[in-house]
Amino acid sequence: MNGASRMETATRAGFAARGLMYLLVAFLALRSGRTEDGAGALKLLDSDVGRAVLAVMALGFLAYGVWRLAEAAIDSEGHGSNAKGLAVRAGGAVSGLIHLGLGVYAAKLAAGRPAESGGAEGGAATALSLPGGEGLLMVAAAALLATAVVNLLKAVKGGFLKHLDAQAAGQAWVKWVGRGGYAARGVVFAIMALFFWRAAQAASAAQAGGIDEALDWLTGWPRLLVAAGLGLFGVFSLVEARYRRINDPQVLARLQGAGRRLVS
């Protein structure tokens, strides 16, 4: 197995890890009303048997994070440099950083080491400790809002299907599972953007919030609907783990083109 094949396998493990994480978040919210972010959901696997799963998930999260950051940096999927393309790439970069953090967190749990996740509030507190911290939180809010818009557009237009093999993309249930999942993520990211904007305005990290706070902010049937949608996104992520086109010819051609530009 060459380097590209190993990276593809690890990235597919990342899609599967993301899927399991979202399924856990949805299960907790729907079964017991307990809201957790990704890190909180991973703690459910912190046991002797679960640590082996966490080790595999850690590798997958790290590979997925690297892949998303590289994708955003060199535009390997051809989103372009216009406003829409930059918004999509910015969302990909944010996703990459988040999954790198989840990879480190899962690795610590797998090694049996105490692992604390600062979550959204911890990240906001770190930003506020830096010069211009309020501005950094506003940038984070803008990036989260852009990510929300991208997810909602995917839900409406079904653009996510173009990244799947035809075998999966032609299935109606895959289309509707993906639409429900992306719509729920769009709502969650929009609420998180509001939280980070408020944190910037008040210069208070306590105002920031992640997936768990976003679900808590919702009540009644909207919370149940969004939680169910996150579960659908978990299922769609498992579909991507099998059918996502990662090393398709167009992406490889763009990577080669980027490489030629770097050495020229």
Side-chain angles (χ1 to χ4, degrees):
M1 185 181 290
N2 59 33
S5 296
R6 286 194 294 270
M7 186 63 185
E8 178 177 344
T9 299
T11 302
R12 292 192 186 281
F15 279 109
R18 186 181 71 174
L20 177 57
M21 181 187 72
Y22 272 99
L23 285 171
L24 288 172
V25 169
F27 173 78
L28 289 171
L30 293 172
R31 180 65 182 270
S32 62
R34 174 179 163 189
T35 57
E36 295 283 357
D37 62 4
L42 291 179
K43 279 189 176 180
L44 292 179
L45 301 175
D46 189 11
S47 64
D48 290 339
V49 176
R51 284 173 188 163
V53 178
L54 283 167
V56 176
M57 291 179 72
L59 292 174
F61 280 137
L62 292 171
Y64 181 83
V66 169
W67 178 66
R68 292 306 301 268
L69 287 173
E71 178 186 274
I74 63 177
D75 193 21
S76 61
E77 294 201 338
H79 295 298
S81 298
N82 57 18
K84 179 182 176 182
L86 290 175
V88 174
R89 291 163 66 183
V94 170
S95 176
L97 291 173
I98 290 172
H99 285 86
L100 286 178
L102 286 170
V104 172
Y105 182 79
K108 289 182 178 180
L109 288 177
R113 294 168 54 190
E116 293 297 331
S117 171
E121 184 175 340
T126 299
L128 288 173
S129 70
L130 300 172
E134 291 88 348
L136 292 175
L137 290 184
M138 288 183 181
V139 171
L144 287 166
L145 183 58
T147 304
V149 171
V150 168
N151 276 265
L152 292 171
L153 287 174
K154 285 182 178 181
V156 172
K157 297 182 177 181
F160 50 84
L161 293 173
K162 67 184 179 182
H163 299 301
L164 299 178
D165 288 344
Q167 178 182 353
Q171 299 291 321
W173 72 268
V174 171
K175 178 180 180 179
W176 289 106
V177 164
R179 278 184 159 171
Y182 275 107
R185 284 228 311 172
V187 171
V188 167
F189 277 113
I191 296 171
M192 289 169 58
L194 173 63
F195 289 161
F196 271 79
W197 180 263
R198 288 178 175 176
Q201 294 291 307
S204 170
Q207 296 287 329
I211 294 176
D212 46 346
E213 286 88 1
L215 288 173
D216 282 335
W217 190 74
L218 297 167
T219 58
W221 66 263
R223 178 194 288 185
L224 295 177
L225 191 62
V226 171
L230 294 179
L232 291 179
F233 188 76
V235 173
F236 181 74
S237 294
L238 296 179
V239 172
E240 286 190 291
R242 173 64 179 85
Y243 294 106
R244 173 84 183 210
R245 294 201 313 271
I246 295 175
N247 286 335
D248 67 52
Q250 289 185 347
V251 170
L252 291 176
R254 293 188 192 103
L255 289 172
Q256 292 168 357
R260 286 193 294 268
R261 288 194 297 272
L262 287 174
V263 298
S264 62

